């Protein structure tokens, strides 16, 4: 008797061909508050919109002949050799999938790139480093100096290869479309209250049930020695009530990390101005990320890609300059590198992949972006990232934003 396998026509192919498709699958699978937390920016959303729109203003200048048979995306950033210029940006509390940051780290290890781990993460630095991923631990300026030293020591002892200090969020949280509800903790009372929002997203809930887990809204990397991890809001309160750092504090943080780690790289994330980039060099950083915190800093901050070239021209010969904000495809990466970035960090893009298909979804996102990089490099007839220059692009007059360069002149053509 011949048995025929009948495919379920309603079963969705887990592979997706673009980050946009990953986002749509994430939207369909996630409860509305969870998805809303991923896509939201501050206030009217001007900066988050510009992060993506700015890339559309940049054109390409391809060749019709001359594509090389072999092309390499490998590069060295912050002392680490990586397979492509796409780095995992640290993002907090990845409750879109029960494996959270561990799944993302495994994907980063599989694709040979750096894993940025937030100190607001739902998984511990020890669990993440154990995946084999090259991990850079990210810290905010929170707590007193003794507390920060303890957290740096823990990250180093776990095996972190670098430290990322994020200093750019100014708590500009009002959103014209409303802020998604994030509970203090997920207990039975919370689950009952939020059940109507979760009930329509059965597959998301089933993932956590199968893993015998519930979304973890604590921050284990902020737990004191021998103590319990604070809730997300407890960690957030510590951050908001810690006095803002000075440039002397940044230099102290960099020097302290260097002493603890034996000279591992220290990266400053959130730089928008040339004068701040120059001060970062003076503080001894190994690199900076040009960023507006994914549109969650002061609304009206220019798109990160608009600020890359002026900052790279000012300090790129001294430190590594990367950028994050609005990267959705390989051509975006090529544009950033052509303007002077050594690499880009992705955030929302891989979270959508994680929501869509776990570790495989994150790998899928990285593969899609890397495929786009290769396609653009082929069209531009370059064989390595180092060959990319602004001459490969069509950059309109007034595109760049040179903040902090000259009080009388904030635009360069």
């Amino acid at each position: 008797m011949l048995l025929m396998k009948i495919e379920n026509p309603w079963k969705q192919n887990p592979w997706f061909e673009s980050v946009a498709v990953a986002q749509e699958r994430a939207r369909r699978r996630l409860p509305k508050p969870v998805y809303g937390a991923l896509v939201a920016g501050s206030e009217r959303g001007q900066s988050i919109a510009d992060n993506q729109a700015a890339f559309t203003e940049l054109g390409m200048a391809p060749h019709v002949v001359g594509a090389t048979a072999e092309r390499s995306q490998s590069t060295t950033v912050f002392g680490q050799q990586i397979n492509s210029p796409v780095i995992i940006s640290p993002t907090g509390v990845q409750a879109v999938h029960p494996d959270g940051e561990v799944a993302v780290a495994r994907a980063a290890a599989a694709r040979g790139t750096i894993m940025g781990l937030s100190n607001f993460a739902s998984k511990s630095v020890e669990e993440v480093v154990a995946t084999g991923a090259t991990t850079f631990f990210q810290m905010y300026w929170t707590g007193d100096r003794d507390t920060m030293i303890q957290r740096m020591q823990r990250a180093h002892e776990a095996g972190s290869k670098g430290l990322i200090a994020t200093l750019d969020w100014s708590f500009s949280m009002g959103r014209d479309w409303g802020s998604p509800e994030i509970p203090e903790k997920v207990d039975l009372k919370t689950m009952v209250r939020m059940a109507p929002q979760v009930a329509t997203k059965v597959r998301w809930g089933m993932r956590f049930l199968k893993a015998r887990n519930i979304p973890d809204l604590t921050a284990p990397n902020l737990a004191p020695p021998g103590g319990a991890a604070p809730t997300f809001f407890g960690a957030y309160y510590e951050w908001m009530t810690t006095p803002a750092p000075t440039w002397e504090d940044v230099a102290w943080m960099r020097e302290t990390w260097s002493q603890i780690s034996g000279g591992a790289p220290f990266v400053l994330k959130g730089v928008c101005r040339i004068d701040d980039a120059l001060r970062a060099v003076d503080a001894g950083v190994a690199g900076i990320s040009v960023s507006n915190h994914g549109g969650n800093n002061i609304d009206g901050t220019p798109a990160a890609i608009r600020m890359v070239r002026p900052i790279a021209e000012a300090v790129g010969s001294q430190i590594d300059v990367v950028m994050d904000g609005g990267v959705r495809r390989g051509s975006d990466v090529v544009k950033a590198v052509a303007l002077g970035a050594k690499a880009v960090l992705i955030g929302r893009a891989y979270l959508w992949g994680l929501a869509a298909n776990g570790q495989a979804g994150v790998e899928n996102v990285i593969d899609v972006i890397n495929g786009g990089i290769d396609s653009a490099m082929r069209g531009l007839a370059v064989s390595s990232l180092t060959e990319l220059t602004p001459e490969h692009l069509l950059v309109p007059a007034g595109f760049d934003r040179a903040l902090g360069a000259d009080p009388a002149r904030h635009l360069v053509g």
Side-chain angles (χ1 to χ4, degrees):
M1 179 179 179
L2 180 63
L3 297 178
M4 297 180 63
K5 182 180 179 181
I6 302 176
E7 295 290 343
N8 181 356
W10 302 106
K11 186 176 181 180
Q12 190 177 56
N13 184 346
W15 185 87
F16 42 83
E17 63 182 10
S18 70
V19 173
V21 173
Q23 179 180 358
E24 176 58 19
R25 292 190 184 177
R27 186 190 66 79
R28 292 179 180 178
R29 293 188 177 189
L30 295 175
K32 186 176 180 179
V34 179
Y35 180 73
L38 294 186
V39 299
S42 64
E43 296 183 328
R44 68 167 58 87
Q46 177 179 340
S47 291
I48 192 173
D50 194 34
N51 272 348
Q52 294 185 64
F55 279 107
T56 69
E57 296 179 25
L58 295 170
M60 296 283 198
H63 290 280
V64 69
V65 174
T68 58
E70 296 184 2
R71 294 168 295 281
S72 174
Q73 298 181 29
S74 66
T75 188
T76 300
V77 184
F78 312 138
Q80 302 295 322
Q81 181 76 30
I82 54 179
N83 291 342
S84 80
V86 180
I87 296 171
I88 298 297
S89 184
T91 61
V93 191
Q94 295 176 9
V96 301
H97 190 279
D99 293 337
E101 295 85 358
V102 170
V104 177
R106 289 172 178 154
R111 294 300 180 263
T113 192
I114 295 169
M115 167 71 185
L117 177 68
S118 172
N119 64 359
F120 284 1
S122 61
K123 305 295 183 183
S124 72
V125 63
E126 291 82 7
E127 290 177 277
V128 169
V129 172
T131 65
T134 299
T135 303
F136 275 47
F137 187 66
Q138 177 262 355
M139 288 178 59
Y140 293 98
W141 183 262
T142 61
D144 58 28
R145 288 193 174 190
D146 287 342
T147 299
M148 284 184 263
I149 289 172
Q150 177 266 317
R151 291 168 181 167
M152 289 186 224
Q153 289 175 330
R154 177 180 173 183
H156 169 63
E157 290 169 3
S160 295
K161 302 299 184 183
L163 188 74
I164 301 172
T166 302
L167 305 180
D168 66 325
W169 201 359
S170 60
F171 315 112
S172 178
M173 290 299 296
R175 291 164 175 159
D176 288 5
W177 50 87
S179 297
E181 178 185 4
I182 302 175
E184 174 74 13
K185 59 182 178 179
V186 179
D187 52 17
L188 180 60
K189 182 178 179 181
T190 301
M191 288 189 287
V192 170
R193 179 170 57 82
M194 300 190 73
Q197 299 181 68
V198 177
T200 58
K201 307 296 181 181
V202 176
R203 297 176 71 180
W204 178 79
M206 287 300 296
R207 278 178 172 172
F208 284 91
L209 289 176
K210 289 178 66 176
R212 298 182 180 181
N213 193 4
I214 60 175
D216 190 353
L217 299 182
T218 62
N221 294 308
L222 299 182
T231 65
F232 173 81
F233 285 102
Y236 188 78
Y237 177 78
E238 179 190 71
W239 180 21
M240 288 192 296
T241 55
T242 301
T246 64
W247 281 107
E248 289 73 20
D249 291 327
V250 174
W252 170 85
M253 194 177 194
R254 196 278 309 165
E255 178 61 26
T256 302
W257 169 251
S258 182
Q259 292 173 357
I260 290 172
S261 66
F266 178 93
V267 181
L268 185 61
K269 186 175 183 294
V271 177
C272 295
R273 298 169 56 100
I274 292 172
D275 50 3
D276 282 351
L278 293 169
R279 291 187 181 104
V281 172
D282 291 340
V285 307
I288 58 175
S289 181
V290 179
S291 169
N292 59 26
H293 211 112
N296 280 296
N297 197 354
I298 300 175
D299 199 25
T301 305
I305 189 63
R306 298 187 190 279
M307 302 181 287
V308 166
R309 181 162 59 166
I311 291 176
E313 288 179 347
V315 301
S317 63
Q318 302 173 75
I319 60 175
D320 286 346
V321 175
V322 301
M323 66 80 63
D324 66 270
V327 174
R328 299 291 184 269
R329 50 194 61 81
S331 59
D332 296 340
V333 180
V334 168
K335 291 171 182 178
V337 174
L339 291 179
K342 291 289 293 293
V344 305
L345 282 69
I346 58 171
R348 291 179 175 91
Y350 78 76
L351 290 174
W352 292 326
L354 179 65
N357 197 26
Q359 175 186 341
V362 179
E363 293 176 9
N364 194 158
V365 163
I366 297 173
D367 289 346
V368 164
I369 295 175
N370 288 348
I373 295 172
D374 183 71
S375 179
M377 290 176 66
R378 177 186 174 91
L380 296 173
V382 298
S383 59
S384 69
L385 299 174
T386 58
E387 297 175 42
L388 291 168
T389 71
E391 284 65 43
H392 289 102
L393 307 178
L394 299 174
V395 184
F399 176 82
D400 297 319
R401 302 292 188 269
L403 308 184
D406 182 340
R409 185 169 179 266
H410 289 293
L411 302 178
V412 297

